[in-house]
């Protein structure tokens, strides 16, 4: 069975978000909701709820849609007039109220109109599957399962899959495949238990975090500072995360768990219904979506000073807010030495961390076998659903399972069975290059990756790098393909990166064993560009020749990649900014993760792209003009032939200027194609874990009969007249207050490059000519006092280091 069309029933935050992600994957989507009870309020529009949801998504930031055009794939309707359209739908996702009666009534409507064999799933996070199918016919039950997306559906990678006893295997396979490959989800199979995996454990952790902060008198800032990066959890920590998801959601999650958990579940023992939480909600302090929460921006401060709530368990009043402090504790620094160093720190941070984690990790250990078939699934759920760097059993390995069990015993706590079983061993181990997990049967089992998943982390377990230095490494990923991995801070470019790229290029060109290169890493971001800290240091001690050589080296390295005798495929995910974007432009092809945010952002620090970005954008836009011209050639007669891009070089220059001068950053790989950073022929991978495999596949395809490119020597640019036009446009922006005088300085140098400098309108320039011009204008800007001030400001503010 193939999924060609998807319907989503319910257009609330989750329903519309799921519809958006399905549209992002290219599926036509039918979005249905109830007819508004008071039609007069909506001018008689019976589709007001579903249509309003789509309109709202088009204005949201971060955006649920990867490009606004995807909204056209969503057809809106209602549950009275459009149910017959379900007869053409392959997969129906129910996202209505978490009320069993409402869900059963919805299923009755679906069953009457759906086509035979269509799959129906629920996004419920609280109601067990066996209750959802009570009273439903047999053919409904066999086509039914739970697909629990996390909010927001576009960005959160976890999808919890719950399968019923009657669910047919082929339906499960279809949904698992589409959610993985098309929707980009990490699919984790869960048992039909309360809260499934992530929320069951996550809510316990948050509850323990709040309770211990109150019990120990730890401030919310200290709690979040230690219960975040030092222990491998996102910077929101406990209280920041509750603010993010909504304080009003916490009582609902608690009520759901308390209504379904067994009487002896430990969550019941730690749950406290704090009065101040209800006071916060009643006063509109529901977190980021409200007036604030555990944190807020001081409404009386012109500078919007960040404030933190001083918790009083029995009540809340606004006077409990005070200026947020930045804690300085040994336990925060201890995170660099490992998790055990944090919980063994003898300060309030260390004591708090131990109190929270001992409860959370012991609870997780007790859930083994109850919520999922193995510990690896529990770890994956927490990493994908809560963005923990490591899952609870991986954290136990960091602490040492035997050490942890001994401490529990010392404190009089029960040691979970699986901790006793693993004993002095570990929950994970590498054997013969394969990662294995400790099973409930006491035996280690291989972690099996789905077909089409290739992870560099797996390759590293069984291989040594082909080349390596302090900033990068090169790995053999099989079939004659090498992978170049940044390992520098934020994967920025430095001299060591360039040095290893040169060695890698020479190795492949002179080898019969290797035939292609993939540039890829598994960091949070592909590359944030140049190491500006290093650049600032060099500037401050007047190392101008070294700075110029660094920029020139980058140009040579990227040109060598572009014109190598082997194909180069860049495979970005996350930020690819400045130089990180320029290396995409230099590659033969790009295989990008859908969540790639790329852009030439150098103007933000008063510079311009110096590693070929200006040149490549000119070439990219001229290429698009030629392609468009070719498509319309038959429609163009002799009288309009003068409109060929060969005789209108200003078009590409203007587009490149607008893109670079405004530092446009694509908010998805699809948007990057529209902007021009990626070609429409470049590939996009929805699932992050499949990116390396897809990039390698692309590289091997290009390697077949690969013919190296020839340097371009006939680039036409508009010359002085074109620069005047661009300068006038910037001047108008300055007059209207939309650009500063220094913006005019930067734009002037950028315009000089994009229009060819002193070149005449009829001159033909080479790529080397443009690179020389880029370098010259780059260095002029670097000497400007305004540029140095901007770089220092960016570094002081802790913004991403960008080229």
């Amino acid at each position: 069975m193939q999924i060609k069309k998807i319907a989503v029933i319910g257009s609330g935050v989750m329903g519309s978000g799921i519809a958006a992600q399905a549209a992002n994957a290219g599926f036509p989507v039918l979005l249905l909701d109830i007819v508004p009870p008071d039609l007069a309020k909506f001018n008689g529009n019976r589709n007001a709820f579903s249509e309003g949801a789509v309109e709202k998504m088009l204005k949201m930031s971060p955006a649920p849609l990867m490009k606004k055009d995807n909204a056209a794939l969503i057809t809106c309707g209602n549950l009275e007039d459009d149910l017959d359209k379900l007869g053409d739908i392959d997969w129906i996702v129910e996202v209505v109220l978490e009320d069993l009666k409402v869900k059963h009534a919805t299923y009755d409507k679906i069953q009457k109109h759906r086509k035979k064999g269509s799959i129906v799933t629920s996004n419920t996070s609280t109601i067990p599957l066996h209750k959802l199918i009570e009273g439903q016919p047999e053919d409904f039950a066999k086509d039914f399962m739970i697909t629990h997306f996390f909010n927001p559906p576009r960005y959160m990678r976890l999808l919890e899959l719950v399968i019923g006893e009657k669910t047919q295997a082929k339906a499960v396979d279809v949904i698992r495949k589409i959610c993985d490959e098309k929707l980009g989800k990490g699919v984790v199979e869960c048992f039909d238990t309360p809260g499934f995996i992530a929320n069951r454990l996550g809510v316990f952790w948050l509850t323990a975090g709040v309770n211990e902060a109150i019990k120990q008198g730890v401030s919310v800032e200290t709690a979040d500072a230690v219960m975040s990066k030092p222990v491998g959890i996102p910077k929101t920590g406990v209280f920041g995360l509750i603010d993010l998801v909504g304080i009003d959601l916490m009582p609902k999650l608690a009520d759901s768990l308390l209504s379904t958990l067994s009487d002896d579940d430990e969550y019941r023992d730690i749950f406290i219904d704090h009065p101040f939480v209800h006071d916060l909600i009643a006063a509109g302090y529901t977190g980021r979506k409200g007036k604030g929460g555990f944190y807020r921006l001081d409404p009386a401060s012109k500078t919007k000073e960040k404030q933190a709530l001083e918790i009083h368990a029995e009540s809340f009043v606004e006077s409990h807010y005070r200026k947020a402090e930045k804690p300085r504790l040994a336990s925060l620094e201890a995170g660099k030495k490992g998790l055990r160093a944090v919980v063994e720190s003898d300060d309030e941070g260390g004591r708090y961390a131990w109190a929270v984690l001992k409860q959370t990790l012991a609870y997780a250990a007790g859930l083994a076998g109850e919520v999922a078939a193995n510990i690896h699934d529990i770890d994956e759920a927490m990493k994908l659903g809560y963005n923990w760097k490591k899952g609870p059993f991986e954290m136990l390995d960091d602490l040492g399972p035997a050490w942890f069990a001994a401490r529990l015993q010392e404190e009089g706590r029960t040691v979970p069975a699986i901790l006793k079983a693993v004993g002095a061993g570990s929950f994970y181990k590498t054997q013969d290059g394969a990662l294995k997990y400790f099973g409930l049967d006491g035996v280690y089992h291989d972690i099996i990756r789905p077909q089409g998943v290739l992870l560099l982390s797996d390759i590293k377990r069984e291989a040594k790098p082909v080349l390596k230095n302090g900033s990068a490494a090169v790995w053999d990923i099989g079939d004659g393909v090498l992978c170049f991995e940044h390992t520098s801070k934020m994967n920025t470019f430095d001299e060591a990166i360039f040095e290893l790229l040169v060695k890698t290029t020479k190795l492949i060109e002179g080898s019969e064993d290797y035939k292609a290169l993939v540039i890829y890493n598994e960091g949070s971001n592909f590359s944030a560009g140049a190491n500006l800290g290093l650049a600032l240091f060099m500037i401050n001690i007047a190392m101008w020749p070294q700075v110029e050589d660094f920029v020139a080296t980058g140009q040579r390295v990227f040109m060598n990649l572009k014109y190598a005798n082997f194909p180069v495929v860049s495979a970005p995910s996350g930020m690819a900014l400045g130089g990180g974007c320029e290396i995409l432009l230099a590659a033969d092809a790009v295989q990008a993760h859908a969540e790639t945010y790329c852009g030439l952002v150098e103007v933000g620090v008063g510079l311009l792209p110096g590693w070929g970005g200006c040149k490549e954008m000119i070439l990219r836009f001229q290429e698009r003009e030629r392609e468009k011209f070719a498509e319309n050639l038959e429609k163009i007669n002799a009288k309009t032939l003068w409109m060929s891009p060969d005789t209108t070089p200003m078009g590409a220059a203007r587009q490149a200027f607008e893109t670079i001068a405004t530092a446009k950053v694509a908010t998805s790989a699809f948007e990057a194609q529209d902007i021009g950073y990626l070609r429409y022929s470049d590939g996009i991978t929805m699932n992050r874990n499949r990116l390396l495999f897809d990039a390698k596949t692309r590289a091997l395809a290009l390697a077949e009969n690969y013919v190296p490119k020839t340097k371009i020597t006939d680039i036409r640019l508009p010359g002085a007249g074109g620069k005047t036009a661009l300068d006038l446009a910037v001047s108008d922006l300055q007059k209207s207050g939309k650009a500063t005088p220094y913006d005019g300085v930067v734009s002037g140098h950028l315009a000089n490059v994009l229009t060819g400098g002193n070149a005449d309108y009829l001159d033909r320039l080479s790529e080397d000519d443009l690179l020389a011009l880029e370098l010259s204008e780059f260095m002029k800007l670097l000497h400007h006092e305004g540029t140095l001030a901007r770089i220092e400001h960016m570094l002081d503010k802790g913004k991403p280091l960008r080229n």
Side-chain angles (χ1 to χ4, degrees):
M1 177 185 178
Q2 281 191 328
I3 302 295
K4 295 181 180 178
K5 295 182 180 179
I6 298 173
V8 179
I9 313 297
S11 64
V13 173
M14 283 303 298
S16 59
I18 293 168
Q21 186 64 359
N24 290 335
F27 291 100
V29 182
L30 176 66
L31 181 61
L32 303 182
D33 209 322
I34 62 171
V35 174
D38 186 358
L39 273 174
K41 272 188 180 180
F42 301 93
N43 298 318
N45 182 2
R46 295 171 65 82
N47 299 336
F49 287 165
S50 56
E51 289 178 0
V54 174
E55 290 172 8
K56 185 177 180 181
M57 286 196 295
L58 288 169
K59 301 173 184 176
M60 287 174 66
S61 179
L65 294 161
M66 291 183 178
K67 52 187 287 188
K68 290 188 175 182
D69 291 352
N70 290 346
L73 287 168
I74 303 175
T75 300
C76 296
N78 66 73
L79 286 167
E80 292 180 21
D81 305 325
D82 302 295
L83 283 169
D84 59 315
K85 294 177 181 176
L86 295 179
D88 195 34
I89 300 296
D90 305 300
W91 176 20
I92 303 166
V93 188
E94 169 269 302
V95 202
V96 301
L97 292 175
E98 288 291 272
D99 182 303
L100 193 56
K101 290 182 179 179
V102 174
K103 289 185 183 294
H104 280 167
T106 303
Y107 297 159
D108 291 342
K109 292 178 181 179
I110 291 172
Q111 180 66 2
K112 289 177 183 176
H113 295 88
R114 75 183 184 103
K115 70 179 179 182
K116 184 178 180 181
S118 62
I119 298 171
V120 183
T121 70
S122 174
N123 185 59
T124 184
S125 59
T126 62
I127 303 174
L129 185 146
H130 65 270
K131 288 189 176 182
L132 292 175
I133 61 172
E134 279 180 358
Q136 299 302 319
E138 193 77 14
D139 66 329
F140 183 89
K142 70 179 179 136
D143 294 331
F144 185 85
M145 66 196 87
I146 291 172
T147 49
H148 180 218
F149 291 80
F150 274 62
N151 190 35
R154 170 182 166 182
Y155 300 98
M156 296 305 294
R157 294 178 60 197
L158 176 62
L159 183 131
E160 293 179 318
L161 181 64
V162 183
I163 302 164
E165 292 180 4
K166 298 178 180 179
T167 311
Q168 55 182 338
K170 65 179 181 180
V172 175
D173 291 342
V174 167
I175 292 300
R176 182 184 282 114
K177 183 179 177 65
I178 193 174
C179 289
D180 170 355
E181 297 179 13
K182 301 297 184 182
L183 301 187
K185 301 302 168 190
V187 180
V188 175
E189 191 172 327
C190 314
F191 292 156
D192 191 16
T193 57
F196 310 135
I197 300 174
N199 280 340
R200 174 81 171 271
L201 184 54
V203 171
F204 184 99
W205 164 65
L206 291 171
T207 302
V210 173
N211 290 348
E212 289 299 328
I214 294 172
K215 179 181 176 181
Q216 298 182 29
V218 174
S219 70
V220 297
E221 306 102 296
T222 296
D224 284 348
V226 72
M227 195 51 58
S228 53
K229 186 178 179 181
V231 298
I233 287 173
K235 64 181 181 180
T236 48
V238 170
F239 295 97
L241 178 59
I242 295 173
D243 273 359
L244 179 63
V245 300
I247 294 174
D248 54 330
L249 180 63
M250 296 310 294
K252 295 176 183 176
L253 289 170
D255 289 346
S256 171
L257 287 174
L258 292 169
S259 68
T260 51
L261 287 172
S262 62
D263 292 341
D264 61 350
D265 192 272
E266 192 179 348
Y267 179 72
R268 293 187 182 279
D269 298 332
I270 72 163
F271 173 73
I272 300 173
D273 191 14
H274 296 292
F276 82 92
V277 171
H278 298 284
D279 291 347
L280 280 166
I281 296 169
Y285 285 89
T286 54
R288 293 190 190 182
K289 64 184 178 182
K291 295 191 290 184
F294 292 105
Y295 299 96
R296 74 169 185 178
L297 298 178
D298 183 4
S301 167
K302 291 182 179 180
T303 59
K304 296 296 181 182
E305 178 183 83
K306 186 177 181 180
Q307 295 183 317
L309 179 65
E310 193 171 283
I311 299 175
H312 295 257
E314 296 305 316
S315 64
F316 157 76
V317 292
E318 288 196 26
S319 61
H320 292 161
Y321 281 106
R322 52 167 176 71
K323 181 180 178 181
E325 303 293 339
K326 187 172 182 179
R328 299 185 184 280
L329 297 167
S331 52
L332 304 184
E333 292 299 315
K336 298 173 183 177
K337 300 176 183 178
L339 186 57
R340 195 193 292 193
V342 176
V343 299
E344 287 186 325
S345 295
D346 189 20
D347 61 18
E348 64 174 338
R351 289 187 289 274
Y352 173 76
W354 169 247
V356 175
L357 289 180
K358 74 179 179 185
Q359 296 175 69
T360 303
L361 298 182
Y363 187 65
L367 294 179
E370 179 186 340
V371 297
N374 58 68
I375 64 167
H376 181 248
D377 284 343
I378 295 175
D379 280 348
E380 287 297 293
M382 293 312 295
K383 289 189 289 186
L384 296 172
Y386 277 73
N387 284 329
W388 288 10
K389 188 175 182 180
K390 294 185 177 182
F393 292 93
E394 292 171 314
M395 293 169 79
L396 284 168
D397 273 355
D398 285 350
L399 292 171
W403 176 89
F404 184 78
R407 280 204 65 172
L408 290 183
Q409 207 160 19
E410 285 172 17
E411 297 184 13
R413 294 181 63 91
T414 301
V415 177
I418 197 167
L419 269 170
K420 292 178 181 177
V422 79
S426 60
F427 286 109
Y428 292 91
K429 70 176 183 177
T430 299
Q431 185 176 328
D432 299 326
L435 182 62
K436 298 175 180 286
Y437 66 87
F438 184 75
L440 301 173
D441 56 1
V443 176
Y444 286 94
H445 301 267
D446 287 339
I447 292 175
I448 308 298
R449 306 291 186 196
Q451 185 177 0
V453 170
L454 177 64
L455 300 180
L456 199 55
S457 56
D458 285 343
I459 291 170
K460 291 178 180 181
R461 288 190 181 91
E462 57 181 333
K464 293 182 178 180
V466 177
L467 298 170
K468 184 180 181 180
N469 64 20
S471 296
V474 179
W475 303 90
D476 186 338
I477 58 174
D479 302 309
V481 181
L482 291 182
C483 176
F484 186 95
E485 176 198 25
H486 283 66
T487 59
S488 55
K489 184 178 180 181
M490 291 190 74
N491 297 325
T492 51
F493 284 86
D494 57 24
E495 291 172 330
I497 294 277
F498 290 143
E499 178 186 330
L500 202 64
L501 278 170
V502 170
K503 289 182 179 180
T504 304
T505 302
K506 290 179 178 178
L507 173 63
I508 301 175
E509 288 187 328
S511 171
E512 294 183 0
D513 296 327
Y514 304 118
K515 55 187 174 183
L517 177 66
V518 170
I519 300 172
Y520 164 92
N521 64 73
E522 290 173 358
S524 299
N525 295 299
F526 178 70
S527 175
N531 185 333
L532 283 187
L534 174 63
L536 184 62
F537 170 76
M538 295 168 72
I539 293 167
N540 280 329
I541 58 175
M543 295 175 66
W544 298 111
Q546 288 84 349
V547 173
E548 185 169 359
D549 182 64
F550 178 58
V551 179
T553 297
Q555 291 185 344
R556 288 193 300 272
V557 170
F558 285 6
M559 281 289 279
N560 287 342
L561 288 174
K562 182 176 181 178
Y563 292 106
N565 65 5
F566 57 87
V568 177
V569 175
S570 287
S573 178
M575 290 193 300
L577 304 176
C581 182
E582 286 174 293
I583 201 168
L584 305 185
L585 296 170
D588 290 274
V590 175
Q591 186 69 38
H593 180 220
E595 299 298 347
T596 294
Y597 318 119
C598 59
L600 297 173
V601 296
E602 288 83 351
V603 295
V605 290
L607 295 171
L608 51 83
W611 291 333
C614 297
K615 165 182 70 75
E616 291 299 330
M617 291 308 290
I618 283 285
L619 295 175
R620 191 66 59 92
F621 286 124
Q622 288 185 347
E623 177 184 296
R624 287 202 171 178
E625 285 187 349
R626 285 192 294 272
E627 289 171 354
K628 187 175 181 180
F629 179 75
E631 289 174 7
N632 297 314
L633 189 59
E634 293 181 3
K635 300 178 183 178
I636 299 176
N637 58 41
K639 292 182 180 179
T640 57
L641 195 60
W642 61 271
M643 293 178 64
S644 163
D646 282 340
T647 54
T648 57
M650 189 61 191
R654 182 183 291 111
Q655 288 182 76
F657 183 78
E658 290 173 355
T659 300
I660 299 171
T662 57
K664 281 186 183 177
V665 175
T667 58
S668 72
F670 295 101
E671 193 171 277
Q673 288 180 324
D674 289 345
I675 292 173
Y677 295 134
L678 303 185
R679 294 184 173 91
Y680 286 113
S681 59
D682 287 328
I684 297 176
T685 299
M686 293 295 284
N687 191 320
R688 177 71 172 80
N689 285 356
R690 295 180 173 275
L691 182 58
L692 182 56
F693 179 90
D694 290 348
K696 176 185 172 182
T697 301
R698 186 70 182 272
L700 287 170
L702 290 172
E704 292 291 328
N705 303 313
Y706 182 74
V707 178
K709 296 182 290 294
T710 303
K711 282 189 179 181
I712 301 170
T713 58
D714 60 346
I715 304 167
R716 293 202 56 201
L717 295 173
K723 183 178 186 306
T724 299
L726 295 180
D727 287 343
L728 283 172
V730 174
S731 177
D732 289 341
L733 289 174
Q734 288 177 310
K735 289 175 183 177
S736 64
K738 295 179 181 178
T740 66
Y742 184 64
D743 289 332
V745 173
V746 177
S747 297
H749 288 281
L750 175 62
N752 208 38
V753 175
L754 297 176
T755 57
N758 295 322
D760 186 83
Y761 180 78
L762 298 176
D763 286 347
R764 302 274 179 170
L765 302 179
S766 68
E767 289 186 78
D768 289 336
D769 292 333
L770 278 181
L771 286 174
L773 190 54
E774 264 190 24
L775 180 58
S776 172
E777 298 299 324
F778 183 96
M779 293 305 297
K780 288 176 186 175
L781 274 173
L782 203 57
H783 280 81
H784 196 287
E785 61 181 10
T787 302
L788 184 61
R790 282 203 183 185
I791 294 174
E792 289 177 334
H793 175 73
M794 175 166 283
L795 292 175
D796 287 343
K797 291 293 183 181
K799 292 183 179 179
L801 304 182
R802 300 171 180 176
N803 180 18

